[in-house]
Amino acid sequence: MSAKPNIAINGAGPVGALLALMLAKRGYAIDLFESRPDSRQTNIYQGKSINLALSDRGWKALNAVGIDQEIRDNAIPMYRRVMHDLAGNLTTQPYGQEGQAIWSVSRSGINEQLITLAEQQDKVRVHFSHRLTQYNFDNNTALYLNDANQQINHQTDIMFGADGAFSKVRRLMQELPKQRISYSLQYMPTSYIELSIPAGENGEHQLDKNALHIWPRKDFMLIALSNPDGSFTCTLFMDLEGPLSFSSLQDKSQVSDFFHQYFADAMGLLENPVEQFMAKAAAPLCLVHIYPWVVNDAVALIGDAAHAMVPFYGQGMNCGFEDCRVLAELVDQYEDNWPEILAAYQLERKENGDAIIELAKRNFTEMSDKAGDANFLLRKKIEAEFQRRHPELWVPLYSMVTFSPDIPYKTALSVGDIQNDIMDQIMAMPNIHECWQDDGVYRHLFALANQRLS
Amino acid sequence: MSAKPNIAINGAGPVGALLALMLAKRGYAIDLFESRPDSRQTNIYQGKSINLALSDRGWKALNAVGIDQEIRDNAIPMYRRVMHDLAGNLTTQPYGQEGQAIWSVSRSGINEQLITLAEQQDKVRVHFSHRLTQYNFDNNTALYLNDANQQINHQTDIMFGADGAFSKVRRLMQELPKQRISYSLQYMPTSYIELSIPAGENGEHQLDKNALHIWPRKDFMLIALSNPDGSFTCTLFMDLEGPLSFSSLQDKSQVSDFFHQYFADAMGLLENPVEQFMAKAAAPLCLVHIYPWVVNDAVALIGDAAHAMVPFYGQGMNCGFEDCRVLAELVDQYEDNWPEILAAYQLERKENGDAIIELAKRNFTEMSDKAGDANFLLRKKIEAEFQRRHPELWVPLYSMVTFSPDIPYKTALSVGDIQNDIMDQIMAMPNIHECWQDDGVYRHLFALANQRLS
Ligand SMILES: Cc1cc2nc3c(=O)[nH]c(=O)nc-3n(C[C@H](O)[C@H](O)[C@H](O)COP(=O)(O)OP(=O)(O)OC[C@H]3O[C@@H](n4cnc5c(N)ncnc54)[C@H](O)[C@@H]3O)c2cc1C
Ligand SMILES: Cc1cc2nc3c(=O)[nH]c(=O)nc-3n(C[C@H](O)[C@H](O)[C@H](O)COP(=O)(O)OP(=O)(O)OC[C@H]3O[C@@H](n4cnc5c(N)ncnc54)[C@H](O)[C@@H]3O)c2cc1C
């Protein structure tokens, strides 16, 4: 291995592209392989793509490589949740303190931007339409199939699997006989389809564009995130099977009744929801755990390949970007000693990956059920007020995860559990709905928090 | 598909061989494929093999096909646990009521017997040295490699994966894109090696042969099961990594000190334990979960392939045999309607598989740590006494799992949790170590059990 080993990255999704850029800036020669054709030249997305909420962990990583401003130019800040109840009444809940926002970006848009930025580096070669099919772990040689069905061998020193939740690198690792690799891939009952709300007549947004809109219906929910062109990308999350599910809604009139019953106030806005629902196959959501993330000091997983999670905390991509930032810092710290870099990377990231997978799983109920609940909203208000009074003692869980990139996910998870206990006690105080602004409440909260969290 | 579809079984371990026998007796033509050569002709086991405890679920399945007596001829009943403490003192604990036993059998011995019995059926063809490498799920065609490295295609109607914890059928299923197969394979920290105690000078057993011997040392343990030839097969279970582990014991003097310190009373009996320890690679233990067990109404998993567990409840093979018995009953019930048979099989067995995986995992502590503990022993004594008084109300968890094949594993798990709560309360009674035989104790126990368990 030369001083600067050659690095191959499999998968040019958002994480693979950002990793290529970061490592190229540190002088590494990078080969970035992607099974799909170049979406900037073909139109595989046909102008459609899911939207993602980018938040402070993602921004911190983008900032570390100096491209946050370019990305922000195509992003829309969302300062609050707006919940739509069955009758069409709206409830608003700020995401954080004044001015704090999560940002709506299109997955394809940010991905293309990152690939373009990576390509601008001399040392990055991007190979589209190259699908990894085999990997020889003894000599680090990958076999790719291109779109002409030709086989291409590529030898490397270091290989990253950034190829998403169904990572081929990971599945090939799992088969290694002597490595004792534990893994799990769990499909959730919930699946999803994308819908959309077009721009209004004059290109304007038909709902508040600076909010993430939620129609929480307990076992299922619809959400909407804004695009710069005035449209919204919506996602309907619902069980695949069961009494009320993607499978149970079979004919057009059932689907139409379903939408009118549960999403009446959105019916004037959504673009052919019934036809869309009937035409689309619901996409699965799954959780991935694997350990180790690194084998032979040479092959490592990153992003969804290492820790796919459900999207209910809006953290999948943010976590993958944080993986990249941490890895890049370790490259600097360990001065190109890759066995050490990769060992430290795994040690640092694995537990945090597990923590955010767990938090995201729990958050479905929070979004789909509790989001509309008066107790839940009050609880959040009390927490926000207490944070204002004692910012050194209390950052609400959502804010730790979303706005506090210096707090590791695993800390957020464990502190969040303690906060939850404490808030159960506060919410059990007599007449809390009337007296929640009283100083006594905050003195009690202070005593509890001071004892258990300081 | 004809009235009696052709059936292929991949893997001629104990479960695959028993399944072949059971289905052949129902008139099915069976092809049984096994990657290893025929152990009856080669000596791949070199006279050595692990020993297994066969218990009532296993016996019930063997009885259903009329071969329990033949198997019992080579099995030794173990009526009790004998715990060896650090000073060599022995404590005895019966496994069940008077006369109840688990039976020591050699894995290779029972496997060979079952293969011979299966072969005696006209309709069973056994193909040794055939390793499954690919499977086409669209037309149910398997590709095997034989020992001459030739490729053999075999088309079937129904395919069972009985190919163990690292099942190839399962790994090929997992790759099916549209089936949404959730799976996990988790390596445990604990690994194991086999050791042995030879027969005495006159061919006699050097320890009580009708007991399972345990040297419980909390984080690790040694066990010994008797063989008909006077020897004992021993297993040392210990962590692979860590302060005291297979990895930490590197040189001969360390290993020797370890054995003398922890297993002093066995040192005169064990055959070259230090050399054996140094020469052998510790084998892994793992848990496997997968769902679904059946795809395309045609390919199904059974035995360890579906539900590998740790061996601490002695149930892996017993559970696999029970899979076979239940399946055979469903074949009778649904009269060769295989889509229904397989759906009912999965519905019936999946939850039970999960339950025994969980029970087995919990039992490591019970065997390695608590087995020597006075509280634990008293607790078992009280339970046994209460069972004697109220057999309709109380079958201890171990007995439900081991001696009660009519109680499903999942019931044992849930009832066991309630029993555990109740026994915590009983053990918290003042002076329980002195007064445990008083009627008052059993009246209190009756009241609790009657309320929660009847
Ligand atoms: C409905 C939904 C909503 C979400 N919302 C959010 C959100 O609000 N915020 C957030 O942070 N995250 C969100 N996520 C998660 C986010 O989309 C992922 O975490 C992120 O895309 C992961 O990036 P990645 O680069 O690791 O993997 P991917 O985006 O999956 O990219 C993997 C790349 O590898 C390529 N590839 C796959 N196999 C091969 C192969 N064999 N050879 C070569 N290339 C291959 C693929 O074509 C793809 O380009 C959401 C996800 C979903 C499904
Ligand atoms: C240390 C230890 C102690 C145990 N103690 C007990 C006990 O006391 N009681 C108990 O009930 N259970 C016990 N078990 C568990 C028991 O050994 C297993 O549950 C049992 O062997 C499972 O049987 P099986 O036929 O499903 O799988 P296996 O026994 O694993 O047999 C699978 C067969 O498939 C073959 N095969 C694998 N891959 C292929 C392929 N690609 N093509 C063709 N053939 C293939 C293998 O060669 C093998 O013959 C113990 C296990 C261990 C490790």
Side-chain angles (χ1 to χ4, degrees), chain B residues 10-16 33-36 50-54 107 111 130-133 144 162-168 192 194 225 235 237 284-285 302-305 311 314-319:
Chain B
N10 195 54
V15 174
F33 292 92
E34 168 57 46
S35 57
R36 290 193 265 193
I50 62 172
N51 276 32
L52 308 175
L54 185 56
R107 185 191 172 290
N111 200 7
H130 276 60
R131 184 164 59 84
L132 179 75
T133 56
Y144 294 94
D163 44 355
F166 299 94
S167 171
K168 185 73 183 177
Y192 71 95
E194 301 290 332
L225 282 80
T235 313
F237 293 99
L285 296 175
I302 195 161
D304 276 18
Q315 285 294 319
M317 183 179 64
N318 287 288
C319 177

Short mmCIF file of all heavy atoms in Angstrom, two decimals, chain B residues 10-16 33-36 50-54 107 111 130-133 144 162-168 192 194 225 235 237 284-285 302-305 311 314-319, ligand 2:
data_model
loop_
_atom_site.label_atom_id
_atom_site.label_comp_id
_atom_site.label_asym_id
_atom_site.label_seq_id
_atom_site.Cartn_x
_atom_site.Cartn_y
_atom_site.Cartn_z
N ASN B 10 -32.92 -30.19 1.10
CA ASN B 10 -31.49 -29.87 1.07
C ASN B 10 -30.93 -29.97 2.48
O ASN B 10 -31.32 -29.22 3.37
CB ASN B 10 -31.24 -28.47 0.50
CG ASN B 10 -29.79 -28.30 0.12
OD1 ASN B 10 -29.25 -29.11 -0.63
ND2 ASN B 10 -29.14 -27.28 0.67
N GLY B 11 -29.97 -30.89 2.68
CA GLY B 11 -29.36 -31.07 3.98
C GLY B 11 -29.86 -32.35 4.64
O GLY B 11 -31.03 -32.46 4.98
N ALA B 12 -28.95 -33.31 4.82
CA ALA B 12 -29.31 -34.56 5.49
C ALA B 12 -28.73 -34.59 6.89
O ALA B 12 -28.09 -35.54 7.31
CB ALA B 12 -28.84 -35.76 4.67
N GLY B 13 -28.92 -33.49 7.62
CA GLY B 13 -28.67 -33.49 9.06
C GLY B 13 -29.81 -34.25 9.72
O GLY B 13 -30.65 -34.84 9.04
N PRO B 14 -29.86 -34.23 11.06
CA PRO B 14 -30.93 -34.97 11.73
C PRO B 14 -32.32 -34.54 11.25
O PRO B 14 -33.20 -35.39 11.07
CB PRO B 14 -30.73 -34.60 13.22
CG PRO B 14 -29.36 -34.03 13.34
CD PRO B 14 -28.91 -33.60 11.99
N VAL B 15 -32.53 -33.27 11.03
CA VAL B 15 -33.87 -32.80 10.68
C VAL B 15 -34.23 -33.18 9.24
O VAL B 15 -35.32 -33.71 8.97
CB VAL B 15 -33.99 -31.27 10.91
CG1 VAL B 15 -35.33 -30.74 10.40
CG2 VAL B 15 -33.81 -30.95 12.39
N GLY B 16 -33.31 -32.97 8.29
CA GLY B 16 -33.59 -33.34 6.90
C GLY B 16 -33.84 -34.83 6.77
O GLY B 16 -34.75 -35.27 6.04
N PHE B 33 -30.57 -34.20 -0.49
CA PHE B 33 -29.24 -33.81 -0.93
C PHE B 33 -28.39 -33.39 0.27
O PHE B 33 -28.86 -32.66 1.14
CB PHE B 33 -29.34 -32.62 -1.90
CG PHE B 33 -29.98 -32.98 -3.21
CD1 PHE B 33 -31.35 -32.83 -3.40
CD2 PHE B 33 -29.22 -33.47 -4.26
CE1 PHE B 33 -31.95 -33.17 -4.60
CE2 PHE B 33 -29.80 -33.82 -5.47
CZ PHE B 33 -31.18 -33.66 -5.64
N GLU B 34 -27.15 -33.82 0.27
CA GLU B 34 -26.25 -33.51 1.39
C GLU B 34 -24.86 -33.16 0.83
O GLU B 34 -24.31 -33.91 0.03
CB GLU B 34 -26.16 -34.72 2.33
CG GLU B 34 -25.07 -34.67 3.39
CD GLU B 34 -25.13 -33.46 4.30
OE1 GLU B 34 -26.22 -33.12 4.80
OE2 GLU B 34 -24.06 -32.82 4.49
N SER B 35 -24.35 -32.03 1.28
CA SER B 35 -23.06 -31.59 0.74
C SER B 35 -21.90 -32.47 1.19
O SER B 35 -20.92 -32.63 0.47
CB SER B 35 -22.79 -30.13 1.15
OG SER B 35 -22.84 -30.00 2.54
N ARG B 36 -22.01 -33.08 2.37
CA ARG B 36 -20.89 -33.90 2.84
C ARG B 36 -20.94 -35.31 2.25
O ARG B 36 -22.00 -35.77 1.82
CB ARG B 36 -20.93 -33.98 4.37
CG ARG B 36 -20.58 -32.62 4.97
CD ARG B 36 -20.31 -32.75 6.44
NE ARG B 36 -21.51 -32.44 7.21
CZ ARG B 36 -21.49 -32.22 8.52
NH1 ARG B 36 -20.36 -32.30 9.21
NH2 ARG B 36 -22.60 -31.93 9.16
N ILE B 50 -20.21 -34.15 18.55
CA ILE B 50 -20.82 -33.57 19.74
C ILE B 50 -21.97 -34.46 20.22
O ILE B 50 -22.50 -35.25 19.47
CB ILE B 50 -21.33 -32.13 19.50
CG1 ILE B 50 -22.43 -32.09 18.43
CG2 ILE B 50 -20.18 -31.24 19.09
CD1 ILE B 50 -23.06 -30.70 18.33
N ASN B 51 -22.30 -34.32 21.49
CA ASN B 51 -23.45 -35.03 22.03
C ASN B 51 -24.60 -34.06 22.21
O ASN B 51 -24.40 -32.89 22.52
CB ASN B 51 -23.11 -35.64 23.40
CG ASN B 51 -22.45 -36.98 23.22
OD1 ASN B 51 -21.73 -37.17 22.24
ND2 ASN B 51 -22.68 -37.90 24.14
N LEU B 52 -25.78 -34.60 22.05
CA LEU B 52 -26.98 -33.78 22.17
C LEU B 52 -27.89 -34.41 23.20
O LEU B 52 -27.92 -35.63 23.36
CB LEU B 52 -27.72 -33.73 20.84
CG LEU B 52 -26.93 -33.33 19.60
CD1 LEU B 52 -27.81 -33.45 18.36
CD2 LEU B 52 -26.38 -31.92 19.73
N ALA B 53 -28.66 -33.57 23.88
CA ALA B 53 -29.69 -34.08 24.78
C ALA B 53 -31.00 -34.15 24.01
O ALA B 53 -31.51 -33.15 23.53
CB ALA B 53 -29.83 -33.15 25.99
N LEU B 54 -31.50 -35.35 23.89
CA LEU B 54 -32.78 -35.57 23.21
C LEU B 54 -33.85 -35.62 24.28
O LEU B 54 -33.68 -36.30 25.30
CB LEU B 54 -32.68 -36.90 22.46
CG LEU B 54 -33.84 -37.35 21.56
CD1 LEU B 54 -34.16 -36.31 20.50
CD2 LEU B 54 -33.45 -38.67 20.87
N ARG B 107 -24.49 -36.79 18.01
CA ARG B 107 -25.09 -36.18 16.82
C ARG B 107 -24.85 -37.04 15.59
O ARG B 107 -25.75 -37.30 14.81
CB ARG B 107 -24.54 -34.77 16.59
CG ARG B 107 -25.25 -34.07 15.43
CD ARG B 107 -24.59 -32.79 14.96
NE ARG B 107 -25.22 -32.30 13.74
CZ ARG B 107 -25.11 -32.89 12.56
NH1 ARG B 107 -24.41 -34.00 12.42
NH2 ARG B 107 -25.72 -32.37 11.50
N ASN B 111 -27.76 -39.12 13.54
CA ASN B 111 -27.88 -38.69 12.15
C ASN B 111 -27.74 -39.88 11.21
O ASN B 111 -28.54 -40.07 10.29
CB ASN B 111 -26.81 -37.63 11.86
CG ASN B 111 -27.14 -36.77 10.65
OD1 ASN B 111 -28.23 -36.87 10.08
ND2 ASN B 111 -26.22 -35.94 10.26
N HIS B 130 -23.35 -33.62 -2.60
CA HIS B 130 -24.04 -32.68 -3.49
C HIS B 130 -24.25 -31.38 -2.72
O HIS B 130 -25.01 -31.35 -1.76
CB HIS B 130 -25.41 -33.22 -3.92
CG HIS B 130 -25.34 -34.15 -5.09
ND1 HIS B 130 -24.62 -35.32 -5.06
CD2 HIS B 130 -25.90 -34.06 -6.33
CE1 HIS B 130 -24.75 -35.93 -6.24
NE2 HIS B 130 -25.50 -35.18 -7.03
N ARG B 131 -23.57 -30.36 -3.16
CA ARG B 131 -23.67 -29.07 -2.45
C ARG B 131 -24.54 -28.12 -3.27
O ARG B 131 -24.24 -27.83 -4.43
CB ARG B 131 -22.28 -28.48 -2.24
CG ARG B 131 -22.27 -27.19 -1.42
CD ARG B 131 -20.86 -26.87 -0.92
NE ARG B 131 -19.93 -26.72 -2.03
CZ ARG B 131 -19.75 -25.61 -2.73
NH1 ARG B 131 -20.43 -24.52 -2.41
NH2 ARG B 131 -18.89 -25.58 -3.72
N LEU B 132 -25.60 -27.64 -2.64
CA LEU B 132 -26.47 -26.66 -3.32
C LEU B 132 -25.70 -25.36 -3.51
O LEU B 132 -25.11 -24.83 -2.56
CB LEU B 132 -27.71 -26.38 -2.48
CG LEU B 132 -28.68 -25.34 -3.08
CD1 LEU B 132 -29.46 -25.92 -4.24
CD2 LEU B 132 -29.63 -24.80 -2.02
N THR B 133 -25.71 -24.82 -4.73
CA THR B 133 -25.02 -23.55 -4.95
C THR B 133 -25.97 -22.48 -5.49
O THR B 133 -25.74 -21.29 -5.25
CB THR B 133 -23.84 -23.69 -5.92
OG1 THR B 133 -24.33 -24.25 -7.14
CG2 THR B 133 -22.76 -24.62 -5.35
N TYR B 144 -26.59 -28.15 -8.09
CA TYR B 144 -25.68 -28.75 -7.12
C TYR B 144 -24.30 -28.93 -7.74
O TYR B 144 -24.18 -29.13 -8.95
CB TYR B 144 -26.20 -30.14 -6.69
CG TYR B 144 -27.50 -30.06 -5.92
CD1 TYR B 144 -28.72 -30.19 -6.58
CD2 TYR B 144 -27.50 -29.83 -4.55
CE1 TYR B 144 -29.92 -30.09 -5.88
CE2 TYR B 144 -28.69 -29.74 -3.86
CZ TYR B 144 -29.89 -29.86 -4.52
OH TYR B 144 -31.07 -29.76 -3.83
N ALA B 162 -33.21 -27.72 4.80
CA ALA B 162 -32.93 -28.31 6.12
C ALA B 162 -31.43 -28.28 6.29
O ALA B 162 -30.84 -29.19 6.86
CB ALA B 162 -33.47 -29.73 6.19
N ASP B 163 -30.82 -27.21 5.79
CA ASP B 163 -29.37 -27.19 5.69
C ASP B 163 -28.69 -26.35 6.77
O ASP B 163 -27.61 -25.80 6.57
CB ASP B 163 -28.92 -26.79 4.27
CG ASP B 163 -29.70 -25.62 3.69
OD1 ASP B 163 -30.67 -25.15 4.33
OD2 ASP B 163 -29.34 -25.15 2.60
N GLY B 164 -29.32 -26.29 7.93
CA GLY B 164 -28.62 -25.81 9.12
C GLY B 164 -28.53 -24.30 9.28
O GLY B 164 -29.08 -23.52 8.50
N ALA B 165 -27.82 -23.91 10.32
CA ALA B 165 -27.76 -22.50 10.73
C ALA B 165 -27.26 -21.58 9.62
O ALA B 165 -27.66 -20.42 9.56
CB ALA B 165 -26.86 -22.36 11.96
N PHE B 166 -26.41 -22.08 8.75
CA PHE B 166 -25.89 -21.22 7.68
C PHE B 166 -26.53 -21.59 6.35
O PHE B 166 -25.95 -21.38 5.28
CB PHE B 166 -24.36 -21.31 7.63
CG PHE B 166 -23.72 -20.84 8.90
CD1 PHE B 166 -23.39 -21.75 9.91
CD2 PHE B 166 -23.54 -19.49 9.14
CE1 PHE B 166 -22.86 -21.30 11.11
CE2 PHE B 166 -23.02 -19.04 10.33
CZ PHE B 166 -22.67 -19.95 11.33
N SER B 167 -27.73 -22.10 6.43
CA SER B 167 -28.51 -22.55 5.28
C SER B 167 -28.29 -21.77 3.99
O SER B 167 -28.45 -20.55 3.93
CB SER B 167 -30.00 -22.45 5.65
OG SER B 167 -30.81 -22.67 4.52
N LYS B 168 -27.96 -22.51 2.95
CA LYS B 168 -27.83 -21.90 1.63
C LYS B 168 -29.20 -21.56 1.05
O LYS B 168 -29.38 -20.52 0.43
CB LYS B 168 -27.08 -22.85 0.69
CG LYS B 168 -26.77 -22.26 -0.67
CD LYS B 168 -25.66 -21.23 -0.59
CE LYS B 168 -25.39 -20.58 -1.93
NZ LYS B 168 -24.36 -19.53 -1.83
N TYR B 192 -17.30 -22.28 21.52
CA TYR B 192 -17.10 -23.54 22.24
C TYR B 192 -16.07 -24.43 21.56
O TYR B 192 -15.80 -24.30 20.37
CB TYR B 192 -18.42 -24.31 22.39
CG TYR B 192 -18.94 -24.90 21.09
CD1 TYR B 192 -18.66 -26.23 20.73
CD2 TYR B 192 -19.71 -24.13 20.23
CE1 TYR B 192 -19.14 -26.76 19.54
CE2 TYR B 192 -20.18 -24.67 19.04
CZ TYR B 192 -19.89 -25.97 18.70
OH TYR B 192 -20.35 -26.49 17.52
N GLU B 194 -14.88 -28.80 21.82
CA GLU B 194 -15.19 -30.11 22.37
C GLU B 194 -13.94 -30.68 23.04
O GLU B 194 -12.83 -30.57 22.52
CB GLU B 194 -15.63 -31.07 21.26
CG GLU B 194 -16.84 -30.62 20.46
CD GLU B 194 -18.13 -30.66 21.26
OE1 GLU B 194 -18.23 -31.50 22.19
OE2 GLU B 194 -19.04 -29.86 20.98
N LEU B 225 -21.41 -34.97 28.76
CA LEU B 225 -22.52 -35.90 28.49
C LEU B 225 -21.93 -37.27 28.18
O LEU B 225 -20.94 -37.37 27.44
CB LEU B 225 -23.36 -35.45 27.29
CG LEU B 225 -24.37 -34.30 27.49
CD1 LEU B 225 -23.66 -32.96 27.44
CD2 LEU B 225 -25.46 -34.35 26.43
N THR B 235 -17.99 -30.17 26.55
CA THR B 235 -17.97 -28.93 25.78
C THR B 235 -17.58 -27.79 26.73
O THR B 235 -18.15 -27.67 27.81
CB THR B 235 -19.35 -28.62 25.16
OG1 THR B 235 -19.85 -29.81 24.54
CG2 THR B 235 -19.24 -27.53 24.12
N PHE B 237 -17.68 -23.89 27.03
CA PHE B 237 -18.28 -22.67 26.48
C PHE B 237 -17.62 -21.46 27.12
O PHE B 237 -17.55 -21.37 28.35
CB PHE B 237 -19.78 -22.61 26.80
CG PHE B 237 -20.60 -23.67 26.13
CD1 PHE B 237 -20.97 -24.83 26.80
CD2 PHE B 237 -21.02 -23.51 24.81
CE1 PHE B 237 -21.74 -25.80 26.18
CE2 PHE B 237 -21.78 -24.48 24.18
CZ PHE B 237 -22.14 -25.62 24.86
N PRO B 284 -18.28 -21.02 16.57
CA PRO B 284 -19.24 -19.97 16.95
C PRO B 284 -20.61 -20.53 17.30
O PRO B 284 -20.98 -21.64 16.91
CB PRO B 284 -19.35 -19.12 15.69
CG PRO B 284 -19.09 -20.07 14.57
CD PRO B 284 -18.13 -21.10 15.11
N LEU B 285 -21.38 -19.72 18.03
CA LEU B 285 -22.80 -20.00 18.28
C LEU B 285 -23.59 -18.84 17.70
O LEU B 285 -23.17 -17.70 17.84
CB LEU B 285 -23.08 -20.08 19.78
CG LEU B 285 -22.39 -21.22 20.53
CD1 LEU B 285 -22.67 -21.09 22.03
CD2 LEU B 285 -22.87 -22.58 20.03
N ILE B 302 -36.72 -25.37 7.50
CA ILE B 302 -37.05 -26.24 8.62
C ILE B 302 -35.78 -26.48 9.45
O ILE B 302 -34.66 -26.41 8.92
CB ILE B 302 -37.70 -27.56 8.12
CG1 ILE B 302 -38.40 -28.33 9.26
CG2 ILE B 302 -36.68 -28.44 7.38
CD1 ILE B 302 -39.42 -29.36 8.76
N GLY B 303 -35.95 -26.73 10.74
CA GLY B 303 -34.78 -27.00 11.59
C GLY B 303 -33.94 -25.74 11.78
O GLY B 303 -34.45 -24.61 11.75
N ASP B 304 -32.64 -25.94 12.01
CA ASP B 304 -31.75 -24.81 12.25
C ASP B 304 -31.79 -23.77 11.14
O ASP B 304 -31.53 -22.60 11.38
CB ASP B 304 -30.30 -25.30 12.42
CG ASP B 304 -30.00 -25.74 13.85
OD1 ASP B 304 -30.94 -26.00 14.61
OD2 ASP B 304 -28.80 -25.81 14.20
N ALA B 305 -32.07 -24.18 9.93
CA ALA B 305 -32.14 -23.23 8.82
C ALA B 305 -33.16 -22.14 9.12
O ALA B 305 -32.98 -20.98 8.76
CB ALA B 305 -32.51 -23.95 7.52
N PRO B 311 -27.24 -23.52 22.32
CA PRO B 311 -27.59 -24.87 22.78
C PRO B 311 -27.95 -24.96 24.26
O PRO B 311 -28.01 -26.06 24.79
CB PRO B 311 -26.32 -25.66 22.48
CG PRO B 311 -25.22 -24.68 22.51
CD PRO B 311 -25.80 -23.36 22.09
N GLY B 314 -30.80 -27.22 25.22
CA GLY B 314 -30.82 -28.56 24.64
C GLY B 314 -32.04 -28.79 23.76
O GLY B 314 -32.63 -29.87 23.77
N GLN B 315 -32.43 -27.78 22.98
CA GLN B 315 -33.69 -27.90 22.24
C GLN B 315 -33.55 -27.76 20.73
O GLN B 315 -34.53 -27.94 20.00
CB GLN B 315 -34.71 -26.87 22.75
CG GLN B 315 -35.31 -27.26 24.10
CD GLN B 315 -36.16 -28.51 24.03
OE1 GLN B 315 -36.92 -28.73 23.10
NE2 GLN B 315 -35.99 -29.39 25.02
N GLY B 316 -32.37 -27.42 20.22
CA GLY B 316 -32.26 -27.15 18.77
C GLY B 316 -32.79 -28.30 17.93
O GLY B 316 -33.68 -28.12 17.09
N MET B 317 -32.26 -29.48 18.16
CA MET B 317 -32.69 -30.63 17.37
C MET B 317 -34.11 -31.04 17.73
O MET B 317 -34.92 -31.39 16.86
CB MET B 317 -31.73 -31.80 17.59
CG MET B 317 -32.07 -33.01 16.75
SD MET B 317 -30.90 -34.36 17.03
CE MET B 317 -31.21 -34.76 18.76
N ASN B 318 -34.43 -30.97 19.01
CA ASN B 318 -35.78 -31.31 19.43
C ASN B 318 -36.82 -30.43 18.73
O ASN B 318 -37.86 -30.90 18.28
CB ASN B 318 -35.91 -31.15 20.96
CG ASN B 318 -35.20 -32.27 21.70
OD1 ASN B 318 -35.66 -33.41 21.69
ND2 ASN B 318 -34.06 -31.97 22.31
N CYS B 319 -36.51 -29.15 18.63
CA CYS B 319 -37.41 -28.21 17.96
C CYS B 319 -37.52 -28.56 16.48
O CYS B 319 -38.61 -28.54 15.90
CB CYS B 319 -36.90 -26.79 18.16
SG CYS B 319 -37.86 -25.53 17.33
C1 LIG C 2 -22.49 -27.38 20.95
C2 LIG C 2 -23.89 -27.72 20.57
C3 LIG C 2 -24.69 -28.45 21.44
C4 LIG C 2 -25.99 -28.76 21.10
N1 LIG C 2 -26.76 -29.44 21.98
C5 LIG C 2 -28.04 -29.77 21.66
C6 LIG C 2 -28.85 -30.54 22.54
O1 LIG C 2 -28.41 -30.90 23.62
N2 LIG C 2 -30.11 -30.86 22.17
C7 LIG C 2 -30.65 -30.46 20.98
O2 LIG C 2 -31.81 -30.75 20.69
N3 LIG C 2 -29.91 -29.69 20.12
C8 LIG C 2 -28.62 -29.37 20.43
N4 LIG C 2 -27.87 -28.63 19.55
C9 LIG C 2 -28.47 -28.15 18.32
C10 LIG C 2 -28.49 -29.22 17.23
O3 LIG C 2 -27.17 -29.62 16.94
C11 LIG C 2 -29.11 -28.65 15.98
O4 LIG C 2 -30.33 -28.02 16.28
C12 LIG C 2 -29.38 -29.71 14.95
O5 LIG C 2 -28.17 -30.31 14.54
C13 LIG C 2 -30.07 -29.09 13.74
O6 LIG C 2 -30.29 -30.06 12.80
P1 LIG C 2 -30.50 -29.65 11.27
O7 LIG C 2 -30.64 -30.94 10.54
O8 LIG C 2 -31.57 -28.62 11.18
O9 LIG C 2 -29.14 -28.89 10.86
P2 LIG C 2 -27.65 -29.44 10.84
O10 LIG C 2 -27.44 -30.43 11.92
O11 LIG C 2 -26.78 -28.26 10.81
O12 LIG C 2 -27.55 -30.21 9.43
C14 LIG C 2 -27.56 -29.48 8.23
C15 LIG C 2 -27.04 -30.38 7.12
O13 LIG C 2 -27.10 -29.65 5.88
C16 LIG C 2 -25.90 -29.86 5.18
N5 LIG C 2 -25.68 -28.70 4.28
C17 LIG C 2 -25.27 -27.46 4.63
N6 LIG C 2 -25.16 -26.67 3.54
C18 LIG C 2 -25.50 -27.43 2.48
C19 LIG C 2 -25.57 -27.16 1.07
N7 LIG C 2 -25.24 -25.96 0.54
N8 LIG C 2 -25.96 -28.18 0.26
C20 LIG C 2 -26.29 -29.41 0.77
N9 LIG C 2 -26.23 -29.69 2.09
C21 LIG C 2 -25.84 -28.71 2.94
C22 LIG C 2 -24.85 -30.00 6.26
O14 LIG C 2 -23.70 -30.66 5.77
C23 LIG C 2 -25.60 -30.79 7.33
O15 LIG C 2 -25.47 -32.16 7.16
C24 LIG C 2 -26.53 -28.32 19.87
C25 LIG C 2 -25.73 -27.60 18.99
C26 LIG C 2 -24.42 -27.30 19.33
C27 LIG C 2 -23.60 -26.49 18.37
#
